Amino acid sequence: MFIIKLAKDVHQYLQNRRLQGHMVGFVPTMGALHNGHLSLIEASRKANGITVCSIFVNPTQFNDSEDFQKYPVTLENDICQLEKAGCDVLFLPSVNEIYPRGPERKNLSYDLGYLETVLEGQYRPGHFQGVCQVMDRLMHIVEPHNLYLGQKDYQQCMVIKKLLLLIGSHAHINICPTFRQPDGLAMSSRNMRLNEEERKLATGLYECLTFISKNIQPGPLNAVLKDARTVLESKKLLPDYIEIADAGTLRLLDNWDGQTKIVALIAAFMGKIRLIDNMVLPA
Ligand code: AMP
């Protein structure tokens, strides 16, 4: 695996490989890699001659400075895992390489419309502008044929889909299923920050989603959402939101016609750690 730190070098290397006829698959990450990330690498390897992973803890997408400061960094282990997984190129840029004019978020300019007003957009102001800022830059550097994203970040997938339209990228988005621990907890770099007791209780997110999938009926949704909240709170999880939305548009629903494909989405705090998860229904 080549480890490349400069944008111009990675761009040049990939340009040559594209000219030789290779398909390029790209897996952008913030590191602290786990099997969820590796499942994206595997999906990319199956369909592309060259798989590129980036590791960059993007300062502009954190709206909580403590979350940024304490974001887990496990670079040596990440490199080992990527080598084993057969990744071809690791792009490891500095902040300066991604943001030559500084990592400011002054000109928030991506028109994400409704998507930025709900759920993560509402609870993490500016977060998706930061995601767009870094993805815009990374997509111009890597210029992949295929982009691999995790369904774990459902709304982020929709935001990036919109971003690709806004920047005129023709990359194909591949959304990979959420990789879970045996007890249902979605793998996440932030899980590393949970203590033993919190880690056990964090399964409440999956239990809450499973509860919704088993109990949802066409008609008003307030009763099932209220009971779902009780499931979450019984595990000491404090929700920012528990919502059910149209899976295609993310419009929030208070009534389900029984036909529309929907998604249940949760964000909740376990102590100081904010976790998110979702499930497309009927599961
Ligand atoms: P992150 O490093 O958290 O920014 O995630 C990098 C990519 O991995 C994103 O596309 C995530 O949606 C995806 N990802 C994170 N956790 C999982 C998981 N448990 N299963 C599948 N994909 C994931």
Side-chain angles (χ1 to χ4, degrees):
M1 179 173 74
F2 290 114
I3 301 178
I4 307 181
K5 294 191 171 179
L6 299 183
K8 68 173 176 37
D9 291 349
V10 84
H11 188 265
Q12 184 66 60
Y13 175 78
L14 294 172
Q15 183 67 10
N16 291 340
R17 302 312 298 255
R18 273 189 299 268
L19 288 172
Q20 290 161 359
H22 290 285
M23 296 280 282
V24 174
F26 180 37
V27 180
T29 81
M30 296 206 296
L33 301 184
H34 50 66
N35 287 342
H37 296 116
L38 298 179
S39 71
L40 271 54
I41 300 282
E42 193 183 325
S44 172
R45 286 199 61 207
K46 279 188 186 148
N48 301 278
I50 299 285
T51 290
V52 182
C53 176
S54 63
I55 296 182
F56 179 65
V57 184
N58 175 33
T60 68
Q61 74 186 68
F62 285 84
N63 53 321
D64 172 347
S65 61
E66 190 179 338
D67 189 27
F68 176 54
Q69 300 300 337
K70 296 201 171 157
Y71 199 83
V73 176
T74 59
L75 187 56
E76 259 179 54
N77 190 42
D78 291 352
I79 292 172
C80 279
Q81 296 206 62
L82 288 172
E83 288 270 14
K84 265 195 228 148
C87 180
D88 300 292
V89 177
L90 168 58
F91 180 39
L92 202 56
S94 64
V95 171
N96 206 33
E97 208 47 30
I98 294 295
Y99 300 117
R101 274 168 280 162
E104 274 79 42
R105 273 205 319 218
K106 273 180 217 139
N107 301 316
L108 304 183
S109 56
Y110 300 94
D111 180 8
L112 302 173
Y114 168 77
L115 272 182
E116 209 180 359
T117 66
V118 287
L119 305 169
E120 294 302 283
Q122 180 186 344
Y123 283 87
R124 300 187 66 189
H127 167 64
F128 285 131
Q129 290 296 328
V131 169
C132 286
Q133 228 179 328
V134 74
M135 284 304 297
D136 187 352
R137 177 87 171 113
L138 288 171
M139 291 302 288
H140 280 100
I141 296 168
V142 176
E143 293 188 64
H145 299 93
N146 283 301
L147 178 62
Y148 293 83
L149 305 172
Q151 189 200 308
K152 157 89 172 28
D153 297 279
Y154 194 92
Q155 190 173 6
Q156 176 169 279
C157 291
M158 295 180 73
V159 163
I160 293 174
K161 221 179 250 181
K162 176 126 196 197
L163 172 73
L164 296 199
L165 289 177
L166 292 173
I167 65 175
S169 164
H170 297 294
H172 179 72
I173 294 188
N174 303 267
I175 299 178
C176 301
T178 302
F179 208 89
R180 298 179 181 281
Q181 301 277 7
D183 64 4
L185 179 65
M187 291 201 169
S188 163
S189 306
R190 287 187 177 87
N191 294 351
M192 292 179 195
R193 295 188 53 208
L194 300 170
N195 67 33
E196 206 177 319
E197 195 208 346
E198 290 170 337
R199 164 63 191 83
K200 278 189 200 142
L201 291 167
T203 55
L205 284 161
Y206 183 66
E207 283 156 25
C208 182
L209 291 167
T210 313
F211 175 86
I212 294 172
S213 85
K214 286 196 178 135
N215 291 283
I216 192 164
Q217 308 261 354
L221 297 173
N222 47 345
V224 75
L225 286 172
K226 188 163 161 271
D227 292 346
R229 179 171 288 261
T230 311
V231 172
L232 208 62
E233 288 173 349
S234 74
K235 292 289 177 91
K236 295 192 187 160
L237 282 152
L238 280 182
D240 265 352
Y241 60 78
I242 308 172
E243 294 283 2
I244 293 169
D246 181 315
T249 63
L250 222 57
R251 290 272 163 205
L252 304 185
L253 301 177
D254 46 26
N255 217 296
W256 182 39
D257 60 12
Q259 308 282 320
T260 308
K261 191 172 163 197
I262 52 180
V263 56
L265 306 112
I266 302 176
F269 280 91
M270 173 52 75
K272 283 183 154 185
I273 312 303
R274 189 173 182 278
L275 301 171
I276 60 171
D277 201 352
N278 66 80
M279 193 180 274
V280 174
L281 305 173

